[in-house]
Amino acid sequence: MKTTGENSNKNNPLTRQDWIDTARTMLIEEGVSSLSLRRIASRLGATTGAFYWLFSNLEDMLAGLRKDWETRNSAAFDAIFDHSKLDCYEKYIGYVRVVLKESGYDPKYDSAMRDWANSNELTREVLTRVDNKRISQLQTMFGEMGFNQRAARVRALMTYFHQSGYYWMGVEETLEERLANIPYYAEILIGSDFFSEDMTHNDLRNLILGEQAEHNA
């Protein structure tokens, strides 16, 4: 008979989120092959009894991991696109800020999920749903800028596929290089007048990253 919260530390029982957090770390660091009950339990120093007290089976936990990604890695984008007081241009700056600072968003988590989706239909379904939602958010934003439906759609796809491919291909650029490229991406996607011609690199840093010029000294 199982005891409540059976695990390696009976005074501090593991929770469902503990298992999901560990599975997330292992997925990102070691890939989909690490998602076995034995390996995750070993990382936690826990028993299978502790696992089955919280989950009906491995798939139950993997479903929780998919939900964790869908919620955790979309929250920062949702906060921007669902913000009623931000105009479309502020939303664009906010989107770029999240992507560059990787605050509230882990691109390695996205890449790990894409890898997992190649071999798992349920993961692929979740990934497709999230991809479609993010593209739709971008399309709506570009539509609010005045682009027609097709033009907004293409710009959304360009923005999203570029960013996803950037991480998937493992492109290595410094933050300064990425920041310096922003006005050129904006020129292609929105127009040459999005950023002022006299905007300095430090002005751009402050606008996108919220850091004062002296931080770049």
Side-chain angles (χ1 to χ4, degrees):
M1 179 177 178
K2 289 180 286 192
T3 59
T4 303
E6 176 190 356
N7 59 58
S8 59
N9 186 348
K10 298 182 184 300
N11 295 321
N12 187 24
L14 293 171
T15 65
R16 284 177 63 95
Q17 194 60 47
D18 290 328
W19 286 87
I20 291 171
D21 289 346
T22 299
R24 180 200 322 120
T25 298
M26 295 178 68
L27 174 65
I28 293 171
E29 293 180 351
E30 304 175 32
V32 64
S33 62
S34 68
L35 297 181
S36 71
L37 173 54
R38 180 185 61 80
R39 295 185 65 178
I40 296 171
S42 177
R43 173 74 74 96
L44 280 166
T47 65
T48 55
F51 175 86
Y52 285 112
W53 181 264
L54 298 168
F55 300 94
S56 57
N57 51 40
L58 180 61
E59 177 52 39
D60 185 17
M61 189 201 68
L62 295 180
L65 179 58
R66 296 184 192 99
K67 184 63 177 178
D68 175 83
W69 171 75
E70 183 173 7
T71 302
R72 179 183 298 268
N73 248 30
S74 296
F77 297 122
D78 292 344
I80 292 166
F81 291 117
D82 295 342
H83 199 304
S84 61
K85 294 184 178 181
L86 295 181
D87 65 26
C88 51
Y89 301 103
E90 291 170 323
K91 289 177 181 178
Y92 179 78
I93 293 297
Y95 174 82
V96 172
R97 180 180 298 120
V98 170
V99 169
L100 258 65
K101 296 185 74 171
E102 298 177 7
S103 53
Y105 161 72
D106 184 353
K108 292 181 180 179
Y109 201 2
D110 266 21
S111 294
M113 291 294 293
R114 294 189 188 287
D115 183 51
W116 186 12
N118 288 329
S119 59
N120 186 280
E121 178 63 30
L122 292 175
T123 305
R124 184 159 52 251
E125 290 175 3
V126 174
L127 179 67
T128 299
R129 180 171 66 246
V130 171
D131 280 344
N132 287 339
K133 177 182 178 181
R134 293 181 185 174
I135 291 169
S136 178
Q137 289 173 325
L138 288 165
Q139 181 177 346
T140 297
M141 178 193 72
F142 284 117
E144 291 171 352
M145 291 180 183
F147 295 103
N148 64 43
Q149 184 175 4
R150 183 173 293 278
R153 176 71 176 177
V154 170
R155 282 168 170 78
L157 292 173
M158 288 175 61
T159 301
Y160 194 64
F161 291 163
H162 163 260
Q163 197 57 50
S164 299
Y166 186 95
Y167 292 115
W168 188 251
M169 293 175 63
V171 176
E172 294 186 4
E173 288 180 341
T174 66
L175 178 60
E176 294 306 318
E177 289 176 314
R178 297 181 66 189
L179 188 62
N181 290 339
I182 293 302
Y184 298 96
Y185 291 133
E187 180 179 359
I188 294 170
L189 293 168
I190 304 171
S192 59
D193 59 347
F194 184 80
F195 290 108
S196 171
E197 291 184 359
D198 59 359
M199 176 174 282
T200 68
H201 183 80
N202 282 333
D203 292 336
L204 186 64
R205 167 181 278 277
N206 188 34
L207 176 65
I208 302 295
L209 303 180
E211 300 176 5
Q212 298 300 322
E214 58 266 22
H215 289 183
N216 192 36

